[in-house]
Amino acid sequence: MSAVTEAIRNGVDAEKMFATLDLIKAQPELARFQFRVRNHWIGGAHNRSTIKDFYAAGGEDTTRSEAFAIDAGEPAILLGTDTGPNPAEYLLHALAACLTTSIVYVAAARKVRLEWVESTITGDMDVRGCLGVDEEPRNGFERIGVSFRISGDASDEKLREVVERAKARSAVYDMVTNGVPVAVDVAVG
Amino acid sequence: MSAVTEAIRNGVDAEKMFATLDLIKAQPELARFQFRVRNHWIGGAHNRSTIKDFYAAGGEDTTRSEAFAIDAGEPAILLGTDTGPNPAEYLLHALAACLTTSIVYVAAARKVRLEWVESTITGDMDVRGCLGVDEEPRNGFERIGVSFRISGDASDEKLREVVERAKARSAVYDMVTNGVPVAVDVAVG
């Protein structure tokens, strides 16, 4: 196997990854990132976010030529017309995606070639909270369950260590388990 | 204006909304919902969630004929090939979408006809945390900022009250600000 293919593990360029880590260690100011989403209401439970620009590594990143557009909705039972996954489902997706990418990157760094990573994420909710019917249930999920199935060219123990390390480093896992300060401001008219 | 069109405000059937609230008040066991996401890794930072079935109001909801498929990725600077918004951007989208839908539903309940709702959401992160370069910065966003612009046929004060009530009822705002217990299990092989 050539040195080039050796450096690409799980679709991740491990050499570039280590070079990026070294660069950020040497210049911590490059670690400041800002991600942004713009959302507009279309009608009822239908709204759309566009996602393109972000700040990274000392400047505006201009590598995205087009914006991603993603639509949210609600199913009929929650008074929508199913124009997209609902916001709580998008939160579960964000968590699944972040843990999965973290697993893939950690495995690449640890020279583990993965064959398969899949997960099922569930969120349990008493909708009396968000519907304002009762003060007692919280608005969001009471609990989230994540079940991973993973295989690769390493021992079971090493694969489990990869998942543990991914949990310890995942941005969205941190946010969903610990919360984030959110400031909301409103311009009217 | 007919009674039928009067009942539809902001694309939301307000009569059906109040009927749903009355039903859940009378039978709280119908308020148990479970949402689910299935995710599989495609390669590198590219993974895909499929979202279809959920449990609601005493049984499996079967109104969705097809699954939603949503792709996550990372931009080049985070070692991906930009196959979709990244997981942290999806979390911002989930928050924007939930607050927006909450605003629209609260306004419908309070007889406010909205003309416009848009928002910009930003999340600031020191990526040394999630990259494992430094133990000090957290993995996720340090803070999230949400800026709404809203207009409708009500006073500024009433429109601001609608946003406040939406914050107080939004499922994703609750989860992102307060956190949720997450249990992860792993099957290897």
Side-chain angles (χ1 to χ4, degrees):
Chain A
M1 196 176 282
S2 76
V4 171
T5 55
E6 185 62 34
I8 310 287
R9 272 189 298 274
N10 307 324
V12 181
D13 186 333
E15 278 184 17
K16 189 176 166 198
M17 178 164 56
F18 289 120
T20 301
L21 299 180
D22 287 343
L23 185 65
I24 286 174
K25 267 178 212 161
Q27 295 180 258
E29 67 276 15
L30 298 181
R32 304 283 344 153
F33 278 49
Q34 182 183 70
F35 292 105
R36 303 162 191 145
V37 166
R38 288 175 183 80
N39 183 279
H40 69 278
W41 174 51
I42 295 172
H46 188 196
N47 61 74
R48 181 174 295 154
S49 288
T50 53
I51 300 175
K52 188 182 181 204
D53 54 293
F54 60 97
Y55 180 93
E60 288 294 312
D61 191 287
T62 57
T63 56
R64 285 177 176 163
S65 55
E66 289 190 31
F68 297 111
I70 46 178
D71 284 34
E74 292 288 353
I77 197 162
L78 290 171
L79 307 167
T81 56
D82 225 16
T83 50
N86 77 13
E89 291 171 322
Y90 272 115
L91 181 130
L92 297 180
H93 163 65
L95 179 61
C98 196
L99 285 169
T100 298
T101 299
S102 299
I103 287 169
V104 170
Y105 283 21
V106 168
R110 296 186 177 195
K111 297 189 161 65
V112 174
R113 290 187 187 274
L114 296 169
E115 288 151 12
W116 192 265
V117 185
E118 64 172 22
S119 55
T120 301
I121 324 287
T122 59
D124 291 291
M125 184 184 288
D126 183 327
V127 296
R128 287 179 297 169
C130 60
L131 295 179
V133 169
D134 192 306
E135 290 302 313
E136 196 265 314
R138 70 178 294 177
N139 300 335
F141 292 131
E142 292 148 26
R143 74 191 76 82
I144 293 173
V146 183
S147 291
F148 271 103
R149 188 164 74 85
I150 177 173
S151 64
D153 70 350
S155 66
D156 286 12
E157 188 189 356
K158 188 153 187 180
L159 289 169
R160 288 178 188 282
E161 282 171 11
V162 165
V163 176
E164 281 307 304
R165 178 68 178 173
K167 275 172 64 180
R169 286 297 164 205
S170 161
V172 176
Y173 182 81
D174 167 27
M175 291 191 274
V176 170
T177 55
N178 297 315
V180 184
V182 180
V184 179
D185 69 58
V186 184
V188 172
Chain B
M1 196 175 281
S2 76
V4 171
T5 56
E6 183 62 34
I8 309 288
R9 272 188 298 273
N10 307 323
V12 180
D13 186 332
E15 278 184 18
K16 188 178 167 197
M17 177 164 54
F18 288 120
T20 301
L21 298 180
D22 286 344
L23 184 65
I24 286 173
K25 267 178 211 159
Q27 295 181 258
E29 67 275 16
L30 297 181
R32 304 282 346 150
F33 278 48
Q34 183 183 69
F35 293 106
R36 304 164 191 144
V37 166
R38 288 175 183 79
N39 184 279
H40 69 276
W41 174 52
I42 295 171
H46 187 196
N47 61 71
R48 180 174 295 154
S49 289
T50 52
I51 300 174
K52 187 182 181 204
D53 54 293
F54 62 96
Y55 180 91
E60 287 294 312
D61 191 288
T62 56
T63 56
R64 286 177 174 161
S65 55
E66 288 191 29
F68 298 111
I70 47 178
D71 283 34
E74 292 287 354
I77 197 162
L78 290 171
L79 307 168
T81 56
D82 226 16
T83 50
N86 77 13
E89 291 172 321
Y90 272 114
L91 181 129
L92 297 179
H93 162 65
L95 179 61
C98 196
L99 284 169
T100 299
T101 299
S102 299
I103 287 168
V104 170
Y105 283 21
V106 168
R110 297 186 176 193
K111 297 190 161 65
V112 174
R113 287 185 189 275
L114 296 169
E115 288 151 11
W116 191 266
V117 185
E118 64 173 23
S119 55
T120 301
I121 324 285
T122 58
D124 291 292
M125 186 184 287
D126 184 325
V127 296
R128 288 180 296 168
C130 60
L131 294 179
V133 169
D134 191 306
E135 290 302 313
E136 196 264 314
R138 71 177 293 177
N139 300 334
F141 294 131
E142 292 148 26
R143 73 191 77 83
I144 293 173
V146 183
S147 291
F148 271 102
R149 188 164 75 84
I150 177 173
S151 65
D153 69 351
S155 66
D156 286 12
E157 188 189 357
K158 188 154 187 180
L159 288 169
R160 288 179 188 281
E161 282 172 12
V162 165
V163 176
E164 280 307 306
R165 178 69 179 173
K167 275 172 62 181
R169 286 297 166 203
S170 160
V172 175
Y173 182 83
D174 167 27
M175 291 190 275
V176 170
T177 55
N178 297 316
V180 184
V182 179
V184 179
D185 68 59
V186 184
V188 172

